[in-house]
Amino acid sequence: MLVTAYLAIIFLLALCVVLEHTARRLTPPQSAPTAVANPAFRRFQSIFLRAYLLALWADWLQGPYLYKLYRHYSFLESQIAILYVCGLASCVLFAPFSGWLPQVLGRRQTCLLFCVSYSACCLTKLSTDYFVLIVGRILGGLSTSLLTTTFESWYVYRHVEVHDFPKEWIPSTFTKAATWNHGLAVGAGLVANLLAEWLHLGPVAPFLLAVPCLACCGWVVLTDWGKEEAEEGLEGEKQKLPLGTPNAGVARLSARARFSRSCHDGLRCLLSDRRVMLLGGVQALFESVLYIFVFLWTPVLDPHGPPLGIVFSCLMAASMAGSLLYRLATSTRYRLQPGHVLCLAVLMAFFSLFMLTFSTTPGQPRPRESFLAFLLLELASGLYFPAVSFLHGRVIPEEKRQSVLAWFRLPLHLLACFGLLALHGETAGTGGGEEGNGTRHMFGGCAVLMLAAFMAVVSLFTLGRNDTDLRLEGTRGEGEMENIFNYD
């Protein structure tokens, strides 16, 4: 497995370089020339990306060795499953409030809260106490919820309301962030492997490295973002008044009312439009499987001695290749519709999970076949995220999108929690070993979920067979950054 992992990362990185070169030739640039030539916009974009990319880098560093760290502390697989469930449950709990907190604390202050809470989450990994680790997982859920909403909220508000830049320029920033995000994910696996295995610092080392990265992110938010706001003569667009202000209670009540109304409008949009409901079903089924996969890939492969950081980089490179293939497939040369790509992604994911039900047979594990299936699943996720992002933009009204997506995430996290609790309830052991069938049964259940996702995709496009909203117009759609799937 050691040689297989290193050969795989070399091949996948070379493939990504070739696909990127081909995609640039076949697809037009995402940003308008006026945006590129505007020095004020470029400066503002740079200020945002410095902080945001540091936050993403710190997040990705924690991916490769989380399960390995818990095993290093001699916890059982069932105990580790509960830790993961606590993280997912906290995401369910905090997700609705992640959109409300910026209205009360202020957007920049909420980004600072993210840096503090995620740093605390990383520092809990130094403890071997189970309760402390549970607290860390809860803080991780809060931090993940803030990462997926607050930074984007600050940027969009400043872009539109303060600088009055055209809305058409917004995708250029998030496309650039998505491009960097793939590279950061691959690099995080390599750096984590260097620290944990080559330098023999142990699986806790990547978490400790994330802390200064988060501190740097907080410093950029505090200084550069603060100067950017001060130049506009604002106080960070805080919507909460000081406690001594007579109207402070009214302002907080107004924020709660907006939050309640937003949730109600999102739920009504979800229930009134069958296309939205089917798309939410696809997202909940597909991404809940990805969360379960995040838990299972390490116990399946680790007993066979691969470098986990390199394996993680391989998985991220496969996802990057999938995103590049999406750009090629939907380019003006090939003109494949995002709906077709989504169907292909779900079928690929189903096939990979079907493979895993055989490659993790107790007593007869086939780690190379499992590794190949994991790469295929990540390739499918790389195709899935830009396709589903395009459909979000076409099916869900912009003013209700954030609240609708929050409702989408509720069944997503619940399905993942139930799956991990089912694994916890198994009397079986870890990943394809001789001790039992728990992992194999879980992959079989995930295959069933993916089959249900495929049926939902077919129903969605049968319903909208003649719906021009679900089709590209002339050129490919705007690829958006995948901010739901992360490896916390």
Side-chain angles (χ1 to χ4, degrees), residues 294-317:
V294 168
F295 174 82
L296 290 176
W297 74 267
T298 302
V300 168
L301 298 179
D302 190 42
H304 306 283
L308 294 180
I310 303 299
V311 170
F312 182 85
S313 293
C314 289
L315 297 174
M316 295 299 98

Side-chain angles (χ1 to χ4, degrees), residues 195-250:
L195 294 173
E197 301 191 27
W198 292 359
L199 298 181
H200 304 289
L201 298 178
V204 76
F207 297 92
L208 298 182
L209 178 60
V211 175
C213 296
L214 290 165
C216 291
C217 175
W219 179 254
V220 172
V221 171
L222 191 63
T223 57
D224 290 355
W225 287 20
K227 292 177 182 176
E228 206 277 337
E229 292 174 354
E231 288 173 1
E232 298 295 331
L234 299 174
E235 295 181 354
E237 81 269 357
K238 284 182 68 176
Q239 304 208 13
K240 175 185 175 182
L241 298 177
L243 291 176
T245 305
N247 293 327
V250 176

Side-chain angles (χ1 to χ4, degrees), residues 138-456:
I138 294 173
L139 289 172
L142 169 63
S143 305
T144 300
S145 298
L146 295 178
L147 176 61
T148 58
T149 57
T150 307
F151 284 83
E152 179 179 341
S153 174
W154 183 89
Y155 175 82
V156 172
Y157 176 86
R158 304 289 301 178
H159 181 106
V160 176
E161 301 296 335
V162 177
H163 291 285
D164 198 26
F165 293 133
K167 289 185 178 181
E168 292 76 16
W169 294 1
I170 292 177
S172 70
T173 298
F174 290 108
T175 298
K176 185 176 291 188
T179 302
W180 276 97
N181 190 39
H182 285 299
L184 290 174
V186 175
L190 299 176
V191 171
N193 191 80
L194 171 67
L195 294 173
E197 301 191 27
W198 292 359
L199 298 181
H200 304 289
L201 298 178
V204 76
F207 297 92
L208 298 182
L209 178 60
V211 175
C213 296
L214 290 165
C216 291
C217 175
W219 179 254
V220 172
V221 171
L222 191 63
T223 57
D224 290 355
W225 287 20
K227 292 177 182 176
E228 206 277 337
E229 292 174 354
E231 288 173 1
E232 298 295 331
L234 299 174
E235 295 181 354
E237 81 269 357
K238 284 182 68 176
Q239 304 208 13
K240 175 185 175 182
L241 298 177
L243 291 176
T245 305
N247 293 327
V250 176
R252 288 194 292 273
L253 181 61
S254 176
R256 288 195 293 270
R258 287 195 300 271
F259 170 70
S260 176
R261 185 170 62 251
S262 173
C263 292
H264 180 265
D265 290 346
L267 181 59
R268 185 166 57 184
C269 176
L270 176 64
L271 296 178
S272 62
D273 191 333
R274 192 179 174 196
R275 298 180 309 167
V276 177
M277 185 174 293
L278 286 170
L279 185 59
V282 173
Q283 180 171 330
L285 292 166
F286 192 100
E287 295 177 23
S288 63
V289 170
L290 293 182
Y291 275 111
I292 295 172
F293 152 74
V294 168
F295 174 82
L296 290 176
W297 74 267
T298 302
V300 168
L301 298 179
D302 190 42
H304 306 283
L308 294 180
I310 303 299
V311 170
F312 182 85
S313 293
C314 289
L315 297 174
M316 295 299 98
S319 179
M320 183 192 302
S323 295
L324 292 169
L325 285 171
Y326 174 84
R327 287 174 59 187
L328 289 174
T330 56
S331 66
T332 52
R333 172 176 291 187
Y334 299 106
R335 305 177 70 85
L336 201 62
Q337 293 298 326
H340 301 151
V341 177
L342 184 60
C343 288
L344 176 63
V346 174
L347 282 175
M348 288 173 60
F350 170 76
F351 181 70
S352 69
L353 294 165
F354 186 73
M355 287 175 58
L356 286 163
T357 60
F358 293 96
S359 63
T360 55
T361 302
Q364 299 176 335
R366 294 188 286 275
R368 287 181 179 83
E369 286 82 350
S370 296
F371 181 44
L372 179 61
F374 288 149
L375 292 177
L376 183 61
L377 182 59
E378 280 292 345
L379 183 70
S381 74
L383 291 168
Y384 162 85
F385 279 109
V388 82
S389 293
F390 171 86
L391 295 173
H392 284 164
R394 293 301 184 92
V395 172
I396 307 172
E398 183 178 357
E399 66 276 6
K400 300 177 182 178
R401 193 169 303 155
Q402 184 174 350
S403 57
V404 171
L405 293 180
W407 282 108
F408 282 2
R409 285 190 287 270
L410 179 62
L412 187 165
H413 288 106
L414 288 177
L415 280 173
C417 286
F418 290 148
L420 293 176
L421 287 173
L423 183 65
H424 169 262
E426 290 275 354
T427 58
T430 62
E434 296 182 357
E435 297 174 335
N437 284 301
T439 300
R440 188 187 186 198
H441 290 164
M442 185 55 59
F443 284 127
C446 288
V448 172
L449 290 179
M450 202 59 68
L451 188 59
F454 177 73
M455 295 172 64

Side-chain angles (χ1 to χ4, degrees), residues 25-48:
R25 287 193 297 106
L26 295 181
T27 57
Q30 286 290 302
S31 58
T34 51
V36 176
N38 188 306
F41 173 74
R42 292 176 62 184
R43 177 181 174 275
F44 171 62
Q45 186 184 71
S46 175
I47 287 173
F48 167 72

Side-chain angles (χ1 to χ4, degrees), residues 49-67:
L49 289 177
R50 277 202 296 270
Y52 190 44
L53 294 179
L54 279 169
L56 292 175
W57 171 252
D59 185 46
W60 284 121
L61 279 173
Q62 301 174 57
Y65 288 95
L66 181 60
Y67 187 99

Side-chain angles (χ1 to χ4, degrees), residues 80-90 137 416-421:
I80 299 172
I82 292 298
L83 288 171
Y84 275 73
V85 168
C86 289
L88 292 171
S90 66
R137 292 299 298 167
C417 286
F418 290 148
L420 293 176
L421 287 173

